[in-house]
Amino acid sequence: MNHTKRLTNRHLDLQEWSTSKSIALSIRERDDLRHFLDSIEPATAREDVYNLTPGSKVGAFEIGDLSVSIQPKLDIGRVLYLASYAMGAKGAVDFRRERFDYQQQPTLTEALVLALTRAARRAFARGLLHGYRTEEESLYTVRGRIRAADQLRRRFGIPIPIEIRYDDFTDDILPNRLVKAAAAQLGKLRIHSRQSRIDLGWIAATLNNVSLVEFPTTAVPEVKFDRLNEHYREVVTLARLILRHVAIETGCGSVRANGFLMDMNVVFQEFVTRALREDLRLADQVFVSDKNLPKTIYLDEGRKIRLAPDVSWWNGHTCVFVGDAKYKLIEDKRAPNADLYQLLAYTTALGLPGGLLIYAAGDANDIVHRVHNAGKRLEIATLNLSGSIEDLQGEIRNLARRVRSLRNEVNRKRQAA
C-alpha cells in the first residue's frame, strides 16, 4: 500500500507535535518548510519523501504554491480563549460555545473566520460604531478651528486655502479599522469553505468606508472600552488576536510566508502570567514575565550567564518568587531533568529557597523535589487546559495559593536573617 501523500492540491494538513505520514516534497519546499516545522526527516527507502513534525506553532501559512494547516491538540475554542486572555482581554469569551457548522472539524483559520464573523454580526447589529476623529486639512472654507501657526508657515499670509483642524464624527475609527484589517489578513489565505469566503466579503462590504490599515504584529493598538462601545469587545479582541499572530516572513528574510501562526509555548506562558497576576491582584510591574524583568539576572559572578525566568514576583529589585511555565505533558509524575536544572539555576541566582514549574497537562500535582546539599525545593504543578472554564479558574486559584506560600516563605526567612 502506498502511504505517500501526493500534493496534487498543494495543501498539507498537519497537527501540533504529531508526525505526518510520508509526504512528497520538492527540494525547495523541504528547505522552505524547515523554517516553520520542528522536524523534517526523510522517509525510509523513499526518495524526496519526508515525515513532517510541527512544533508548538499552530495555524495556517502559505509559501508559494504550498498551503499548510497545523491543527492544535487542544479544542480550537479553548486555544482562542487562552490566546485572547493572554492578550489582556477582560472577561475573555469561551469560544468553545460557538457552533462550528462544518461536516468535519474546521481548521483554526476557518474557525477564526466563523468566530470573527459571528462576533461582528453581534457587534454591528446596533449599527457601526462611530466616533470623533481629529482631522487636519487645507480647505477653501472655514470648518472647525484655523491652525494659525501652520497658515503663516505654509501660506506666507495668503488667505486661502486655509489650514484647519476639526473633529469628524465617522465610522473610520480604530475598532472598525482593527476588524477590517483582521478580515483582510484572513482573506489572504486559501480558505476552502465557500461560506467563510462569503463571510469575509460581508465584513469588507460592511466596513467599506473604513480605512484598511496595516498594523505591526508587535504593536497592535488596544481599544479602551466603556458603556458606549462595550458591545464591540468580543470582535475587537478577536481582531487584535488575529493581527498579533500574522505570519509575514521568517527571520532569515529569504523565505516569505503569508498566514496566521500562534506559538502555544508563548500563549501558555502569557496566559499563566496574566491569570496568576490577576488572581494575586498584583500590578504588571510586580508580577512580571521574562520580557519585563526589573533587572538583568546572572547565574555567575562574572555576569556572563544571563537568565530570564518566565514568571517572577518582585518587591522593587528584590525577587520573592520565581517560576517557569512549560507547554508540555508530564508523564509518570516526572519532570524533564533540563526543566528542573533550569529552575534550580533561577532559585540559585536569585537566592530563593524554592521555585515552581507549571506544566500544561499531566499527573504531577503536589510533587516536590528537595535538592541534595543545596537546600532548594523545586515544586511541580499542572493546569488542565481542556476542562471547563470554571475548572480552569479554580486551578488558577489553587496555583496562586502555592505562589503566595512560596513568597511568604521567602519573607519569613529574610526577616529571620
Side-chain angles (χ1 to χ4, degrees):
M1 181 180 294
N2 185 1
H3 293 287
T4 301
K5 180 179 178 181
R6 295 295 175 185
L7 305 181
T8 56
N9 61 356
R10 316 310 300 151
H11 182 80
L12 298 181
D13 287 311
L14 307 175
Q15 187 179 48
E16 173 193 6
W17 289 118
S18 295
T19 301
S20 70
K21 293 182 179 180
S22 300
I23 294 175
L25 296 173
S26 69
I27 295 176
R28 175 64 181 272
E29 289 170 342
R30 180 202 64 190
D31 292 344
D32 287 349
L33 284 174
R34 290 192 191 279
H35 298 284
F36 299 92
L37 304 181
D38 189 67
S39 171
I40 300 179
E41 296 294 335
T44 305
R46 300 300 301 271
E47 184 178 355
D48 298 332
V49 176
Y50 303 87
N51 298 323
L52 311 181
T53 306
S56 60
K57 291 184 178 179
V58 300
F61 62 93
E62 296 171 3
I63 311 176
D65 295 331
L66 190 60
S67 176
V68 182
S69 175
I70 305 174
Q71 289 289 88
K73 287 192 171 183
L74 279 175
D75 178 273
I76 288 175
R78 182 49 50 83
V79 171
L80 299 182
Y81 170 82
L82 296 173
S84 59
Y85 194 108
M87 280 191 344
K90 302 296 183 183
V93 178
D94 183 1
F95 294 102
R96 294 204 302 185
R97 295 173 182 170
E98 291 281 6
R99 290 181 61 249
F100 297 126
D101 300 324
Y102 294 90
Q103 293 181 348
Q104 298 178 340
Q105 175 76 352
T107 65
L108 180 55
T109 303
E110 289 171 332
L112 278 168
V113 172
L114 181 60
L116 183 69
T117 303
R118 289 185 173 176
R121 290 189 187 279
R122 288 190 284 265
F124 299 166
R126 295 169 51 177
L128 287 185
L129 190 66
H130 284 62
Y132 286 99
R133 194 181 72 234
T134 300
E135 300 282 1
E136 294 185 353
E137 291 188 86
S138 301
L139 299 178
Y140 287 88
T141 58
V142 176
R143 180 183 180 185
R145 291 168 291 177
I146 298 176
R147 295 180 287 143
D150 290 334
Q151 185 73 20
L152 290 173
R153 184 173 65 253
R154 297 180 183 179
R155 306 300 172 191
F156 305 103
I158 298 174
I160 56 175
I162 306 169
E163 301 295 330
I164 63 169
R165 178 185 295 112
Y166 62 92
D167 292 329
D168 190 24
F169 190 66
T170 176
D171 59 4
D172 192 10
I173 56 176
L174 179 60
N176 290 328
R177 288 180 173 183
L178 289 168
V179 177
K180 185 168 185 173
Q185 289 294 343
L186 292 177
K188 293 178 181 179
L189 296 175
R190 297 174 192 171
I191 298 174
H192 301 286
S193 166
R194 179 174 179 272
Q195 185 58 51
S196 293
R197 295 194 298 271
I198 292 173
D199 289 341
L200 290 176
W202 172 80
I203 292 178
T206 304
L207 300 175
N208 183 57
N209 295 325
V210 176
S211 300
L212 181 56
V213 180
E214 289 191 10
F215 296 99
T217 58
T218 56
V220 179
E222 296 186 29
V223 173
K224 293 183 179 180
F225 293 98
D226 54 34
R227 62 180 182 84
L228 297 178
N229 66 356
E230 178 62 30
H231 60 291
Y232 257 60
R233 182 185 293 274
E234 182 184 0
V235 70
V236 167
T237 296
L238 272 169
R240 293 187 65 246
L241 187 154
I242 292 165
L243 294 172
R244 186 185 180 194
H245 296 283
V246 168
I248 299 176
E249 67 178 313
T250 65
C252 67
S254 60
V255 180
R256 296 194 63 84
N258 177 58
F260 174 89
L261 285 175
M262 184 185 301
D263 191 333
M264 293 303 297
N265 286 328
V266 176
V267 168
F268 181 66
Q269 177 196 342
E270 292 180 346
F271 169 77
V272 168
T273 303
R274 185 171 295 278
L276 285 175
R277 180 190 297 142
E278 292 182 357
D279 195 275
L280 293 166
R281 298 182 180 181
L282 298 174
D284 294 0
Q285 300 79 14
V286 176
F287 201 82
V288 304
S289 69
D290 56 343
K291 299 179 180 62
N292 299 301
L293 293 169
K295 69 176 185 180
T296 305
I297 303 171
Y298 295 97
L299 178 62
D300 62 321
E301 293 180 355
R303 300 170 68 86
K304 301 294 184 181
I305 307 173
R306 296 181 61 171
L307 302 176
D310 288 343
V311 58
S312 51
W313 185 345
W314 296 79
N315 289 339
H317 280 70
T318 301
C319 184
V320 294
F321 165 80
V322 69
D324 229 33
K326 304 293 185 182
Y327 181 69
K328 61 177 75 169
L329 174 68
I330 294 302
E331 298 176 347
D332 302 325
K333 299 185 179 182
R334 290 181 295 183
N337 286 352
D339 296 348
L340 294 169
Y341 297 155
Q342 187 177 34
L343 184 62
L344 177 60
Y346 294 156
T347 59
T348 301
L350 294 166
L352 300 175
L356 184 64
L357 275 173
I358 306 165
Y359 289 95
D363 186 17
N365 278 323
D366 301 323
I367 301 300
V368 178
H369 296 284
R370 301 184 184 279
V371 182
H372 187 60
N373 291 331
K376 305 292 185 183
R377 190 174 71 257
L378 308 180
E379 299 189 12
I380 302 172
T382 60
L383 284 176
N384 179 12
L385 301 178
S386 59
S388 69
I389 294 295
E390 291 74 19
D391 289 343
L392 181 56
Q393 290 171 341
E395 292 192 35
I396 289 292
R397 286 192 293 271
N398 292 334
L399 196 59
R401 283 193 283 270
R402 295 182 68 173
V403 171
R404 193 179 288 109
S405 176
L406 284 165
R407 188 284 308 260
N408 291 341
E409 180 184 358
V410 171
N411 288 342
R412 286 195 301 270
K413 288 190 174 183
R414 288 177 177 173
Q415 289 173 0

